[in-house]
Amino acid sequence: MKKILGLDLGTNSIGWALVNEAESGEEKSSIVRLGVRVIGYDNFVSTKTGKESKEPEKDFAGGKGISPNAGRTMKRTMRRNLQRYKLRRENLIEILKEYGFISDENILSENGSRTTFETYRLRAKAATEEISLEQLARVLLMINKKRGYRSSRKVKNEDDGQLIDGMEIAQKLYDENLTPGQFCLRLLENGQKTLPDFYHSDLLAEFDKIWAEQKEFYPDILTDKLKENLCGKNGKQTWAICATPFQIVGIKRDVKGEELKKENFVWRVKALSEKMDLESLAVILQEVNAQINNSGGYLGKISDRSKELFFNRQTVGQYQMAVLDKNPNASLKNMVFYRQDYLDEFNTIWETQAKFHKELNDKLKREIRDVVIFYQRKLKSQKGTIVFCEFESRKTEVEVEGKKKIRTVGSRVVPRSSPLFQEFKIWQNLNNIELTDKDSGEMRALTPEEKDTLFQRLQVTEKLRDKEVLSILFDKSAKKYALNYEKLDGNKTRAAIFNVLGDSGLLSFDSNKELDEQPLYKLWHLLYSYEDDNSVTGINRLVNNLKLTFGLSEETAKKLANISFQDDYGSLSAKAIRKILPFLKEGHKYDAACGYAGYRHSASSLTKEEIENKVLKDKLENLPKNYLRNPVVEKILNQMVNVTNGVIDAYGKPDEVRIELARELKKNAKEREQMTTAISESTKKNEEIVKTLQREFGITNPRRKDIIRYKLYMELAANGYKTLYSDTYIAREELFSKNFDVEHIIPQARLFDDSFANKTLEKRDVNIKKGNSTAYDFVKNEYGEDKAKEYLIKIEKLLKDEKISRTKHKHLTWSEKDIPEDFIDRDIRDTQYIAKYAKTMLCDIVKEVVSTTGSITDRLRDDWQLVDVMKELNWDKYKSLGLTEEFTNEDAAESVRLKIGQSEMTIATTQWTL
């Protein structure tokens, strides 16, 4: 008797069943115990907002980030910041008392009528005039409360915009009365390729000048309302808004690349003094607005405030007091400045007051400024949390404080942004590409020449869409082929640097040579490892290093310093990648390349002998906190551990485990989001079909099979509503008659697939004749070779016109020899994230772990009529709610059914008291 544990892992719960399976005729199979463990997600919050997730399971299925830690850590950070501020305040007060600035009797805040902004006034005054030491103490305590924004290259958010450190350029624009467009055109005419970033306010000023000039020529079109609509829009949105009022038809540009870039700036300059045609003006507004959008955001506003301080020669306190003088109700809460601006203000106030108070010496200045107010420790290194490479690491026993512990030693994984990993990933994808000839249906891999062509292109671009890939490979005949990838990721690191440097020797990289000798690797490592300094934007020292090490200009170095790389890590170490990569370049797929490199790429690829000799654990171990990147998956797997260990405690260790995963657990966040969207759209479409069936076919309560039949009928519209095998016309009034069947293209006896992609409508007698043949084999055997050729042409046209899916096309053209050998078409997702971990963990306690697909469970649920059983059990509840009805079914039998749901139960009316 074999003891089998079945596990059904879902986001809401884990279903389990322990069964004894007979291994001989003398034994009898039986269910030992079954049950469900519900998974709770208390305190899970959105990783984006930090607010509690009301429906965490639904958010996860929709691809949204949720975490049990985000809210807690966010609040903890707020608590820590408050504690640190209080500690700084206490230390500052202690020093001020020690040096006699204040005493315990002093009131350090506004006191009395008309003193609301007294400290702000003192702060503004202290930059130029004498104030008392007691008043200075109040000013210092105010500066201590808000110390300003300090940039960190490692912590950037695209939504926040970009920090600008272009005061020198802003001064040139001011002194020479130039717009950013005029300045850029001058640089391009002088042969400079790298252009600087500009302050948000300078770009807005240019937009206003262009708008004012062109409004003189188009007063009826360039209205205030249109300008308001364009405010805050990106390039694409700007073009879309301008399209209708400008009556854009699309102009063909004769220039490309650098020439196109230059021409755009020429137009921007002309627009300041000449009438432009409306399409050219749309291009100009699009370009300027795109730059404005990129320079805006939280960080852009900080940069602009800093610029105002510079040009107005003000301190932060003077700026804020000017705002309050203009509007006493103005809010200063979100008026953030650079940390450097506060430092400059501190130095200005101290130097001014030192002229009047001899107590203000350099020693006290350093103590208050550098030790108390502006001290900030470096971020703690997280290198110890980087995981070890699965191929180049091992576990070893060490003794710590007299106790033996298991430690992992070896090489750690590389950052994903490493040029080595980027190249490795590209070759891995290139070897997995399959091209399908749409005419013949033949599939093939890329040739070495095609791989090399794509590799060179992917080296200088972040990604390529499938249409771009096919266009590069086949030019005009690209439409003849289909690709098994929607997009291919390129070398994002090299592409980002290429966009700044162009074709440069610094992009040279040979993975076969020592990494530290490669120019690209050295440049990447300097950019990646650098954190920040005490300058305004945190990159001054990095810019200087880039200039000295690589001989770059100031502007080019600044552009490179502002590049942000991916902050996550790959799955292998540099040592392992360098062993595997040569075999990937030879054209081997990843698993084979690992084998040639001397690695076993999957723990499940153990030999029978290794499986038999494997030492199994008595129980599973819980995953350590934050062990996985996905906290939801980590929680599910730990609940799986609890269920499995509970079964072992009660009934002993199973001989085999069979595991099934919910659909959403087999997909990444983006795929879950797409799946949720598709389900939503499908539900909406089905609701429309239900109304059509009720209105046009008189079906009061359409069932699921009615909806499927109608969808299959509409799919045949492109074929003149004729069936695909026998070309029999289906009259609308015959659609729901017994003359036509919903037919499985590949019989379920041959391929376990009950999806829409494996169904079509066919005449009943033809369906009976077809039996267990595939669609193609039946047409060929029943109607002959010529008819089979016509059939294939017809199917290809339906695919080309996007009337059928690629999966249905595959099923319709398959011969018997094309059907997978396995009873089920194996789910390739079984090797993905959660399945990989679940199977690996379970293999520690049993020798055999088998993955199954949800389609089997769905089919068994239907075959065993479990849905109907549940309805029977809940019949009284449905009846009391008025959700049941009597009707006559297709076989003229009296039946009852629910008004909800898509299935019915044929039950004798005498069995029920209706």
Side-chain angles (χ1 to χ4, degrees):
M1 189 76 73
K2 182 190 282 189
K3 190 187 297 178
I4 300 174
L5 173 62
L7 295 171
D8 181 2
L9 303 190
T11 52
N12 300 320
S13 60
I14 295 179
W16 64 273
L18 186 67
V19 301
N20 286 326
E21 186 180 77
E23 295 184 287
S24 68
E26 299 173 356
E27 296 175 334
K28 186 177 181 181
S29 299
S30 63
I31 298 174
V32 178
R33 189 73 183 271
L34 49 79
V36 174
R37 186 183 185 96
V38 177
I39 301 174
Y41 294 94
D42 296 337
N43 301 319
F44 266 68
V45 300
S46 165
T47 54
K48 189 172 183 179
T49 65
K51 294 181 180 178
E52 184 180 355
S53 174
K54 301 295 183 185
E55 297 179 287
E57 304 94 329
K58 189 175 180 180
D59 288 343
F60 174 77
K64 297 177 182 177
I66 60 172
S67 166
N69 303 319
R72 178 175 54 80
T73 53
M74 191 177 291
K75 290 172 183 175
R76 184 181 65 193
T77 301
M78 292 170 67
R79 287 196 304 272
R80 283 179 177 174
N81 287 339
L82 180 60
Q83 289 166 356
R84 287 166 184 164
Y85 157 66
K86 287 180 177 178
L87 184 61
R88 292 199 311 270
R89 180 182 173 86
E90 288 171 7
N91 291 340
L92 181 56
I93 290 174
E94 189 178 327
I95 291 172
L96 294 173
K97 285 181 178 178
E98 182 184 340
Y99 283 86
F101 284 41
I102 56 175
S103 65
D104 292 335
E105 286 73 34
N106 290 117
I107 298 174
L108 301 176
S109 61
E110 282 77 6
N111 183 35
S113 61
R114 300 185 181 181
T115 61
T116 305
F117 301 131
E118 185 180 351
T119 307
Y120 279 104
R121 288 194 180 91
L122 288 173
R123 182 174 174 179
K125 181 182 177 182
T128 55
E129 302 176 35
E130 180 185 4
I131 61 175
S132 69
L133 289 177
E134 179 192 341
Q135 291 171 330
L136 177 60
R138 289 171 60 182
V139 170
L140 293 176
L141 285 166
M142 177 179 269
I143 294 174
N144 176 66
K145 191 172 183 179
K146 285 188 177 181
R147 306 184 299 165
Y149 176 86
R150 183 180 179 185
S151 172
S152 173
R153 292 185 70 252
K154 293 289 184 179
V155 187
K156 283 193 176 183
N157 186 333
E158 289 183 8
D159 295 335
D160 289 342
Q162 184 175 324
L163 288 172
I164 308 295
D165 185 18
M167 208 64 74
E168 184 181 343
I169 293 169
Q171 186 70 55
K172 281 185 181 179
L173 297 182
Y174 178 79
D175 293 341
E176 300 178 35
N177 193 26
L178 295 173
T179 65
Q182 290 171 320
F183 186 79
C184 287
L185 182 60
R186 180 191 291 181
L187 294 177
L188 291 172
E189 287 175 341
N190 291 332
Q192 187 167 324
K193 292 185 178 181
T194 306
L195 300 178
D197 295 312
F198 297 93
Y199 287 106
H200 190 72
S201 54
D202 290 330
L203 292 164
L204 280 174
E206 179 180 16
F207 186 94
D208 289 340
K209 284 183 180 180
I210 292 172
W211 189 272
E213 178 65 24
Q214 296 305 310
K215 189 172 183 177
E216 295 290 326
F217 306 110
Y218 304 106
D220 297 333
I221 297 175
L222 301 184
T223 62
D224 292 341
K225 185 176 180 181
L226 179 60
K227 186 179 181 183
E228 186 180 335
N229 288 340
L230 291 173
C231 181
K233 301 299 188 292
N234 60 32
K236 287 184 179 179
Q237 292 168 332
T238 300
W239 184 265
I241 292 170
C242 291
T244 301
F246 286 18
Q247 296 182 351
I248 294 173
V249 295
I251 53 176
K252 186 174 177 62
R253 307 290 292 271
D254 298 324
V255 291
K256 294 181 179 179
E258 291 297 319
E259 289 301 315
L260 178 65
K261 183 178 178 181
K262 186 176 179 180
E263 186 176 76
N264 286 340
F265 282 109
V266 169
W267 288 2
R268 276 170 72 165
V269 173
K270 281 185 177 181
L272 295 167
S273 57
E274 302 176 21
K275 180 180 180 180
M276 305 297 295
D277 66 85
L278 286 172
E279 290 212 20
S280 299
L281 179 58
V283 172
I284 295 165
L285 296 178
Q286 181 186 30
E287 289 288 315
V288 180
N289 238 4
Q291 276 190 281
I292 291 172
N293 191 264
N294 290 337
S295 68
Y298 175 74
L299 299 182
K301 289 175 182 176
I302 294 176
S303 300
D304 264 351
R305 289 190 198 103
S306 186
K307 177 194 163 193
E308 283 192 59
L309 294 183
F310 176 81
F311 278 95
N312 296 334
R313 303 190 184 284
Q314 291 177 309
T315 63
V316 174
Q318 290 172 326
Y319 179 95
Q320 290 181 327
M321 195 62 237
V323 171
L324 291 172
D325 284 338
K326 190 174 181 180
N327 178 15
N329 297 316
S331 173
L332 305 181
K333 184 178 180 181
N334 296 317
M335 192 178 285
V336 183
F337 294 85
Y338 286 133
R339 175 74 54 84
Q340 188 63 46
D341 292 328
Y342 282 87
L343 272 166
D344 291 342
E345 179 184 28
F346 179 93
N347 291 332
T348 300
I349 290 174
W350 193 276
E351 288 167 11
T352 300
Q353 298 307 310
K355 297 174 185 176
F356 306 106
H357 304 285
K358 61 181 180 180
E359 297 91 342
L360 303 181
N361 55 52
D362 288 342
K363 180 185 175 185
L364 180 59
K365 177 183 179 181
R366 285 193 297 272
E367 187 175 358
I368 291 177
R369 183 190 63 188
D370 302 334
V371 178
V372 179
I373 297 180
F374 294 104
Y375 172 75
Q376 184 168 325
R377 67 172 177 80
K378 289 284 185 182
L379 292 173
K380 190 183 293 185
S381 173
Q382 300 297 313
K383 288 183 179 179
T385 64
I386 300 172
V387 299
F388 287 93
C389 171
E390 61 177 305
F391 295 148
E392 291 293 338
S393 64
R394 60 186 175 83
K395 294 187 183 297
T396 183
E397 191 175 72
V398 295
E399 191 169 309
V400 180
E401 297 178 356
K403 295 181 179 180
K404 291 185 177 180
K405 293 188 176 182
I406 301 296
R407 290 277 174 85
T408 304
V409 295
S411 303
R412 297 185 186 268
V413 297
V414 296
R416 291 185 72 87
S417 60
S418 163
L420 181 65
F421 184 85
Q422 291 285 308
E423 188 170 311
F424 165 77
K425 199 65 184 173
I426 289 175
W427 279 107
Q428 194 176 347
N429 288 338
L430 288 175
N431 292 332
N432 289 332
I433 288 178
E434 287 185 343
L435 290 169
T436 302
D437 189 314
K438 292 180 180 178
D439 295 331
S440 65
E442 290 184 15
M443 299 174 68
R444 69 171 178 87
L446 295 179
T447 64
E449 293 76 18
E450 289 168 341
K451 289 178 185 177
D452 189 61
T453 299
L454 276 183
F455 176 75
Q456 297 304 327
R457 185 62 177 272
L458 289 167
Q459 284 286 75
V460 292
T461 187
E462 285 196 4
K463 63 183 177 183
L464 288 175
R465 295 287 177 188
D466 52 354
K467 290 182 180 178
E468 294 175 294
V469 171
L470 294 171
S471 179
I472 292 168
L473 294 177
F474 305 108
D475 196 17
K476 294 180 181 179
S477 60
K479 291 183 178 179
K480 182 183 176 184
Y481 297 95
L483 199 70
N484 61 330
Y485 278 81
E486 287 186 9
K487 70 178 179 67
L488 284 177
D489 285 333
N491 191 327
K492 295 180 180 180
T493 297
R494 198 172 186 275
I497 297 173
F498 176 81
N499 289 337
V500 176
L501 297 179
D503 194 7
S504 166
L506 290 178
L507 294 173
S508 175
F509 181 74
D510 185 346
S511 57
N512 294 319
K513 296 180 180 177
E514 286 299 318
L515 296 179
D516 292 337
E517 296 175 3
Q518 308 300 308
L520 178 62
Y521 188 86
K522 287 195 287 186
L523 177 57
W524 164 79
H525 193 268
L526 177 57
L527 294 173
Y528 179 80
S529 59
Y530 187 85
E531 290 184 357
D532 54 46
D533 52 44
N534 291 322
S535 63
V536 170
T537 52
I539 59 171
N540 277 9
R541 199 163 70 244
L542 174 59
V543 169
N544 290 331
N545 285 345
L546 290 168
K547 287 162 64 179
L548 289 172
T549 308
F550 300 102
L552 301 172
S553 67
E554 178 90 11
E555 285 304 324
T556 302
K558 281 185 178 180
K559 284 280 187 183
L560 286 174
N562 275 310
I563 292 175
S564 294
F565 295 117
Q566 295 167 270
D567 59 358
D568 53 348
Y569 287 81
S571 54
L572 299 176
S573 63
K575 184 177 181 180
I577 289 174
R578 294 188 69 188
K579 287 183 180 179
I580 297 169
L581 188 54
F583 299 106
L584 289 176
K585 289 181 177 180
E586 289 177 6
H588 300 290
K589 290 195 174 184
Y590 178 68
D591 54 348
C594 288
Y596 286 123
Y599 299 127
R600 176 180 284 127
H601 89 288
S602 172
S604 60
S605 60
L606 298 174
T607 64
K608 286 185 179 180
E609 185 179 351
E610 288 173 322
I611 292 173
E612 286 299 321
N613 294 330
K614 184 177 179 181
V615 178
L616 300 174
K617 296 179 180 178
D618 294 328
K619 283 189 177 183
L620 294 177
E621 296 175 2
N622 274 299
L623 295 172
K625 195 170 186 179
N626 301 325
Y627 182 75
L628 300 180
R629 290 170 292 176
N630 191 319
V632 174
V633 172
E634 184 179 297
K635 190 173 186 72
I636 292 167
L637 290 177
N638 277 333
Q639 292 297 320
M640 179 194 76
V641 169
N642 294 337
V643 169
T644 305
N645 287 344
V647 170
I648 292 173
D649 286 340
Y651 306 101
K653 192 187 295 185
D655 301 307
E656 180 182 320
V657 177
R658 295 179 186 172
I659 184 171
E660 179 192 320
L661 279 75
R663 283 184 303 174
E664 57 267 26
L665 293 180
K666 303 174 188 177
K667 300 179 182 294
N668 58 39
K670 186 176 181 180
E671 289 171 328
R672 292 198 302 273
E673 182 181 1
Q674 291 171 343
M675 183 179 74
T676 302
T677 303
I679 290 172
S680 178
E681 291 174 354
S682 179
T683 301
K684 187 177 179 181
K685 190 178 291 184
N686 285 348
E687 288 171 354
E688 291 173 358
I689 292 174
V690 166
K691 292 177 183 177
T692 300
L693 294 178
Q694 290 171 333
R695 184 178 61 252
E696 299 180 15
F697 292 87
I699 302 174
T700 309
N701 293 296
R703 297 163 295 175
R704 180 173 177 270
K705 64 181 184 181
D706 297 328
I707 295 173
I708 291 173
R709 183 177 284 256
Y710 181 79
K711 289 169 79 172
L712 291 171
Y713 178 68
M714 296 309 296
E715 189 178 59
L716 294 174
N719 195 44
Y721 296 106
K722 294 179 182 178
T723 61
L724 298 178
Y725 312 156
S726 62
D727 276 338
T728 303
Y729 174 72
I730 305 176
R732 197 173 178 81
E733 60 272 14
E734 286 193 278
L735 174 58
F736 292 97
S737 72
K738 294 183 180 180
N739 296 330
F740 293 92
D741 284 345
V742 173
E743 200 276 319
H744 285 88
I745 299 167
I746 304 293
Q748 287 189 290
R750 313 301 297 276
L751 180 73
F752 193 88
D753 186 352
D754 192 41
S755 68
F756 186 82
N758 195 38
K759 292 176 181 176
T760 188
L761 293 178
E762 188 50 77
K763 203 173 177 185
R764 174 162 288 188
D765 59 343
V766 174
N767 184 24
I768 293 169
K769 268 187 188 180
K770 177 174 174 284
N772 283 334
S773 299
T774 68
Y776 174 74
D777 287 344
F778 170 72
V779 173
K780 183 178 178 182
N781 296 331
E782 182 70 16
Y783 304 111
E785 290 279 355
D786 292 339
K787 190 71 175 179
K789 288 179 182 178
E790 292 176 16
Y791 167 79
L792 287 177
I793 292 171
K794 175 171 58 182
I795 301 306
E796 293 302 329
K797 187 175 186 309
L798 289 174
L799 176 66
K800 187 176 181 181
D801 296 340
E802 298 183 349
K803 303 300 181 184
I804 59 174
S805 67
R806 185 161 296 282
T807 305
K808 179 164 282 192
H809 164 270
K810 180 174 66 176
H811 288 169
L812 286 165
T813 55
W814 260 358
S815 183
E816 183 178 355
K817 61 182 175 60
D818 299 315
I819 300 175
E821 292 180 5
D822 292 345
F823 175 65
I824 59 172
D825 190 9
R826 294 295 179 191
D827 189 341
I828 61 172
R829 292 289 183 180
D830 280 348
T831 60
Q832 266 204 349
Y833 192 48
I834 184 171
K836 176 184 175 182
Y837 272 101
K839 292 180 72 174
T840 302
M841 291 169 71
L842 291 166
C843 281
D844 286 340
I845 60 164
V846 295
K847 293 178 180 178
E848 190 169 1
V849 179
V850 180
S851 295
T852 63
T853 61
S855 56
I856 291 179
T857 308
D858 287 341
R859 180 55 185 269
L860 291 174
R861 191 182 291 118
D862 286 341
D863 288 349
W864 294 342
Q865 297 182 331
L866 292 180
V867 176
D868 291 344
V869 170
M870 290 304 296
K871 288 179 180 178
E872 285 188 48
L873 292 173
N874 290 285
W875 184 264
D876 290 338
K877 180 179 73 174
Y878 292 133
K879 185 181 175 184
S880 65
L881 292 171
L883 298 176
T884 63
E885 65 179 353
E886 297 180 68
F887 77 107
T888 303
N889 67 16
E890 296 172 354
D891 299 319
E894 291 297 320
S895 303
V896 289
R897 68 181 172 193
L898 299 178
K899 292 179 182 178
I900 57 174
Q902 305 302 330
S903 63
E904 68 185 47
M905 296 175 288
T906 304
I907 304 167
T909 55
T910 54
Q911 291 180 308
W912 299 91
T913 304
L914 298 173

